[in-house]
Amino acid sequence: MDIIFYHPTFDTQSWLAGLQQQLPDARIREWREGDDRPADYALVWHPPVEMLAGRHQLKGVFALGAGVDSILSKLQAYPDMLPAGVPLFRLEDTGMGLQMQEYAVSQVLHWFRRFDDYQAQKQQANWQPLDDYRREDFTIGLLGAGVLGRKVAESLTAWGFPVRCWSRRKKDYPGVTSFAGVEQLSDFLNGTRVLINLLPNTPQTVGIINASLLARLADEAYVLNLARGVHLVEADLLAALDSGKLKGAMLDVFSKEPLPVDSPLWKHPRVAITPHVAAVTRADEAMAYIAKTIRQIEKGETPTGEVSLQHGY
Ligand SMILES: NC(=O)C1=CN([C@@H]2O[C@H](COP(=O)(O)OP(=O)(O)OC[C@H]3O[C@@H](n4cnc5c(N)ncnc54)[C@H](O)[C@@H]3O)[C@@H](O)[C@H]2O)C=CC1
Ligand SMILES: O=C(O)C(=O)CO
């Protein structure tokens, strides 16, 4: 079996060595420009079109991340990049669920325990105990309830917060109230105090966190964007913060990355920023997952993790 690998920033040699350990019988090589030798599987992130185009013999392409929006948008421009019938897989969790839990729980607790207010008081040398927030007034709403949304929901129910989720289809997650489809979006938003975004980037979800959505949240709400920058209309978020509708936001992803130095988000006192690090690909777990999936395909089984080209995620 031949496997080709391309990632613009990962340490390719350590990936090749790790994959070789997982799949001792495979011939694994870094793909370089001009390489049109046969391959059964391709492991990619931001792949050059010529790496995949015309490779009808591929049994699978693996995206080395959870979101496949960059690959699918390239596919829009170059429809022949992924030969017809070749399945595209993405990473399901592989350690990202735990990272998302850490991120979401720490920030929700930060807001819930009013550390943002105390930090602001500290700037004024102001010693002033504030009223506690009550859990029942701190409903967490997850936009997106797939692999990562489910993990985040689990971790927040464990802390005793009321948790609800919104997805394409209804979910049956313990302790989580499920809303589905555009027709239930309003009910989902009504009363949501902390909105956490874990949707994929698709034509239906671009710009979904906009002025009209923010207006429907509980007063003094918070927004945590962990998915993609294009989901959020940054100007609408800033307006909602300045009007007092929103109390705070923490953003990991931005419509333009790196976030330009002149973005007003940097200077806003109630916006916290991380540079797209909420959950990164963990090499060992990703390699084990890919190797397991390849073995399933080789045995004629149907693995999970295949991207629906129709739904765009
Ligand atoms: N900031 C970061 O470091 C990272 C961000 N991500 C982002 O997180 C996203 C989610 O990842 P997973 O949970 O693995 O994806 P997933 O595919 O397992 O879950 C997606 C969820 O969104 C829902 N959804 C999709 N379209 C919808 C629509 N039109 N209306 C309502 N619900 C809809 C689905 O029903 C599902 O519940 C990724 O697509 C990626 O963009 C992923 C990893 C790291
Ligand atoms: O895996 C993804 O989709 C990411 O955003 C990684 O940071």
Side-chain angles (χ1 to χ4, degrees):
M1 168 200 321
D2 290 287
I3 300 177
I4 48 177
F5 178 94
Y6 177 86
H7 195 295
T9 57
F10 281 179
D11 176 352
T12 298
Q13 292 315 314
S14 77
W15 271 78
L16 296 183
L19 287 162
Q20 195 66 71
Q21 280 194 347
Q22 293 280 344
L23 296 162
D25 298 331
R27 288 175 297 275
I28 308 170
R29 67 183 192 271
E30 178 182 14
W31 182 86
R32 297 211 174 136
E33 213 181 320
D35 175 353
D36 59 2
R37 287 177 289 140
D40 300 289
Y41 297 97
L43 279 46
V44 300
W45 197 243
H46 295 291
V49 175
E50 57 275 25
M51 177 181 181
L52 302 177
R55 289 189 180 274
H56 299 278
Q57 78 285 17
L58 281 172
K59 296 184 221 170
V61 172
F62 289 85
L64 294 166
V68 286
D69 44 341
S70 64
I71 294 182
L72 295 186
S73 68
K74 206 157 185 183
L75 205 49
Q76 288 272 308
Y78 305 97
D80 297 334
M81 183 175 88
L82 189 67
V86 175
L88 172 65
F89 294 90
R90 68 186 194 92
L91 296 182
E92 286 188 308
D93 194 335
T94 62
M96 289 190 242
L98 179 61
Q99 296 172 69
M100 287 296 187
Q101 289 179 326
E102 293 161 355
Y103 196 117
V105 168
S106 60
Q107 189 58 22
V108 168
L109 292 177
H110 180 88
W111 284 324
F112 180 64
R113 291 303 308 267
R114 306 193 65 168
F115 291 157
D116 50 347
D117 292 321
Y118 287 120
Q119 196 61 27
Q121 289 188 178
K122 187 210 169 217
Q123 309 296 327
Q124 316 296 325
N126 180 9
W127 179 281
Q128 178 59 55
L130 300 169
D131 289 342
D132 285 345
Y133 285 150
R134 301 179 319 161
R135 271 184 170 62
E136 54 268 39
D137 298 330
F138 233 72
T139 295
I140 318 288
L142 280 152
L143 278 177
V147 173
L148 301 177
R150 178 183 192 155
K151 286 304 257 298
V152 169
E154 270 170 21
S155 61
L156 289 162
T157 53
W159 276 94
F161 292 104
V163 178
R164 53 175 69 166
C165 67
W166 181 72
S167 48
R168 246 170 12 94
R169 277 187 253 109
K170 277 236 179 223
K171 304 287 182 186
D172 187 12
Y173 297 158
V176 179
T177 310
S178 168
F179 297 82
V182 272
E183 54 292 352
Q184 291 192 351
L185 181 58
S186 267
D187 290 343
F188 162 82
L189 295 169
N190 185 15
T192 290
R193 182 76 181 274
V194 181
L195 184 76
I196 303 182
N197 179 32
L198 274 167
L199 285 167
N201 170 13
T202 69
Q204 291 75 37
T205 63
V206 169
I208 188 167
I209 308 175
N210 54 29
S212 122
L213 178 146
L214 294 171
R216 286 183 273 166
L217 294 172
D219 287 341
E220 299 205 331
Y222 304 86
V223 169
L224 195 48
N225 191 10
L226 302 178
R228 287 293 183 260
V230 291
H231 289 132
L232 172 70
V233 181
E234 290 169 0
D236 291 1
L237 179 97
L238 287 165
L241 284 162
D242 291 340
S243 74
K245 175 72 189 175
L246 285 186
K247 184 130 187 273
M250 181 149 193
L251 311 175
D252 181 57
V253 285
F254 301 88
S255 49
K256 186 153 192 275
E257 295 180 4
L259 182 64
V261 283
D262 60 354
S263 166
L265 290 169
W266 283 115
K267 292 217 168 75
H268 201 288
R270 282 180 286 120
V271 175
I273 287 175
T274 50
H276 199 145
V277 292
V280 299
T281 296
R282 295 273 187 241
D284 288 348
E285 281 147 294
M287 286 186 232
Y289 173 83
I290 291 167
K292 182 189 85 181
T293 305
I294 288 178
R295 283 193 290 268
Q296 287 176 307
I297 297 172
E298 291 293 310
K299 280 196 249 161
E301 296 169 5
T302 309
T304 64
E306 184 172 346
V307 172
S308 159
L309 298 183
Q310 186 203 341
H311 292 122
Y313 69 99

